[in-house]
Amino acid sequence: MKVTILSHNLSSNAAMRAHRLAVAATNFAEVKMIGPVERKGLWPALPSAPWLQTVEEKRFPRFFLSLLQLVEAADGDVLIAVKPHLASFGAALVAAEKRQVPLILDHDDLDLAFTPRSEWATHPSMADLRRPASAIYLSLLTKASPAASAITVSSTTLQKRFGGTLIPHGSLTEQFDPASLAREKMRREFGFTGPTVLFAGTPRWHKGLKPLAKAVSKVPGARLAVLCRPEDLSEAQWQRYSVLRLAMISYLDFPKLLAATDVVAIPQLDTEASRYQMPMKVYDCMAMAKPIVASAISDLPSTLKGCGRLVAPGDVTQLAEAIADLLAHPAEARSLGEKARARCLENYSMKGVGEKLLEVVNRVTVQAKAEATP
């Protein structure tokens, strides 16, 4: 069986969900992952793989050429489009219709929450029809979700909105193994000299980085580490915080960073986007047996129940107290991390995610054969 996975932008962190589904699918199929890439290149954390194929990112009217390339490359027996964008779901709809193969649409965010209609007038670039990622195309294709043969989602809130099957992000648990890395060596490699709190995610407003920076500043001796692109945290306001800005690293190197870290924070704010989003990094942090402090939002409470610390979104005091307590009680922190890894191994390995995905693939394949039978 051949499975083709389409991502709308391989130069953004959106590519990571597509990559995770691709890795899961390699457990049962020959896999190809395709998508447009900008001039700046692939997303820095995206690992290279022989099954990764790119096309040049273009705006209209030249996007038509990219669309043709995507449709031609989407030659799988089953197609999986990640996010309802023109370069993923739109291209997949054309390819599926042309080849008469089943199409699965994956929602890993409520993408419309990032480009709300109320802001189109003040931010006209959001709705610029020359952009394949225009909010107008996104809105239309979100409404077209039922056109897919099946839907998969990454959180229960998305499942309530769109239906479909919950496929967690999961983690490469064999790679994210704390026993395979020497902590002190990794600390030296990343320049960590004291208690270090890692912000596990891309620096975006709704992910709660500013409350976290305030919280860590209240913990004596602690320092916040953040993976950044050159343009991230460049504003003057960030100079007041002691933030260790780390260059973006490949996903394959992320276990080393986690091994060097004392506490991981996932401080999502209470926004519409956050309520639908399930942060991918939480599964990798669990796999690496890290003590985690996270906001009580989306599926984080159920995922981390009994194996992590939960705080109210945006509450600086609770964040600071939870971080300080874990740093002051390393045995308790270690116990939480061990429980988190055990839960990840049981529920969120790539093998387990692959089994859930295979159930959906088998279902749409059977359905397609039945519809093709006279």
Side-chain angles (χ1 to χ4, degrees):
M1 176 189 294
K2 294 172 62 178
V3 173
T4 301
I5 297 175
L6 296 94
S7 171
H8 82 287
N9 188 345
L10 297 180
S11 297
S12 77
N13 67 336
M16 298 309 294
R17 169 66 172 183
H19 177 267
R20 202 66 58 97
L21 292 178
V23 172
T26 59
N27 285 285
F28 59 82
E30 177 187 341
V31 171
K32 179 195 293 182
M33 175 175 156
I34 61 174
V37 63
E38 301 171 17
R39 289 183 181 178
K40 62 185 178 182
L42 295 170
W43 180 248
L46 184 65
S48 60
W51 36 261
L52 180 61
Q53 182 176 330
T54 66
V55 303
E56 183 183 350
E57 189 267 346
K58 298 181 176 73
R59 287 194 172 195
F60 281 106
R62 295 180 66 231
F63 172 71
F64 178 69
L65 300 175
S66 299
L67 181 65
L68 288 177
Q69 290 178 287
L70 291 167
V71 170
E72 184 64 28
D75 56 357
D77 303 305
V78 176
L79 309 181
I80 302 177
V82 179
K83 296 183 178 292
H85 276 281
L86 202 56
S88 52
F89 189 35
L93 281 169
V94 176
E97 182 68 20
K98 180 180 178 182
R99 297 190 172 88
Q100 290 297 286
V101 296
L103 163 59
I104 299 168
L105 172 61
D106 180 72
H107 287 281
D108 69 327
D109 282 306
L110 181 61
D111 288 275
L112 289 172
F114 298 104
T115 56
R117 187 179 295 269
S118 60
E119 296 183 14
W120 291 4
T122 54
H123 297 83
S125 62
M126 286 186 179
D128 185 351
L129 292 175
R130 293 172 299 178
R131 297 175 58 244
S134 168
I136 293 178
Y137 302 132
L138 175 63
S139 178
L140 291 171
L141 287 167
T142 299
K143 293 175 182 176
S145 293
S149 307
I151 290 174
T152 56
V153 295
S154 62
S155 73
T156 55
T157 45
L158 285 168
Q159 189 176 42
K160 289 175 183 176
R161 185 171 183 124
F162 294 106
T165 302
L166 176 60
I167 306 290
H169 298 303
S171 176
L172 280 69
T173 50
E174 295 83 1
Q175 179 181 321
F176 285 77
D177 181 359
S180 65
L181 294 167
R183 170 178 161 78
E184 291 306 318
K185 179 182 178 183
M186 295 302 104
R187 286 180 65 80
R188 289 192 298 272
E189 184 173 319
F190 286 99
F192 295 170
T193 56
T196 304
V197 179
L198 177 68
F199 171 75
T202 305
R204 301 275 171 80
W205 177 81
H206 73 284
K207 292 181 180 288
L209 181 53
K210 185 171 288 186
L212 177 61
K214 293 178 180 178
V216 174
S217 70
K218 295 177 180 293
V219 181
R223 193 173 188 188
L224 175 62
V226 182
L227 288 168
C228 297
R229 296 163 297 178
E231 65 269 24
D232 292 327
L233 312 188
S234 57
E235 300 89 345
Q237 60 180 308
W238 288 103
Q239 295 178 8
R240 72 185 71 168
Y241 304 111
S242 178
V243 176
L244 180 59
R245 300 173 83 255
L246 303 174
M248 295 287 286
I249 57 176
S250 167
Y251 178 70
L252 300 179
D253 290 324
F254 192 50
K256 298 178 182 179
L257 178 57
L258 289 176
T261 301
D262 296 292
V263 173
V264 175
I266 304 176
Q268 304 279 99
L269 297 180
D270 186 7
T271 67
E272 184 179 32
S274 298
R275 288 191 287 273
Y276 284 94
Q277 185 178 73
M278 184 58 184
M280 182 177 292
K281 293 292 196 304
V282 68
Y283 300 102
D284 297 330
C285 298
M286 292 172 72
M288 281 296 291
K290 303 310 298 184
I292 301 168
V293 177
S295 297
I297 197 167
S298 186
D299 291 342
L300 286 168
S302 58
T303 301
L304 293 173
K305 184 178 180 180
C307 63
R309 291 289 186 86
L310 296 166
V311 299
D315 193 313
V316 172
T317 299
Q318 286 190 22
L319 261 175
E321 290 176 348
I323 291 168
D325 190 58
L326 288 173
L327 291 174
H329 300 91
E332 181 183 349
R334 185 165 52 252
S335 175
L336 284 175
E338 290 170 352
K339 292 176 182 177
R341 176 165 172 79
R343 178 169 296 171
C344 190
L345 289 172
E346 181 179 359
N347 298 303
Y348 306 121
S349 68
M350 281 293 98
K351 183 175 182 296
V353 173
E355 290 171 353
K356 291 182 174 66
L357 184 59
L358 178 58
E359 291 177 7
V360 181
V361 168
N362 284 339
R363 188 163 66 247
V364 297
T365 301
V366 170
Q367 177 185 333
K369 289 180 179 178
E371 292 174 350
T373 302

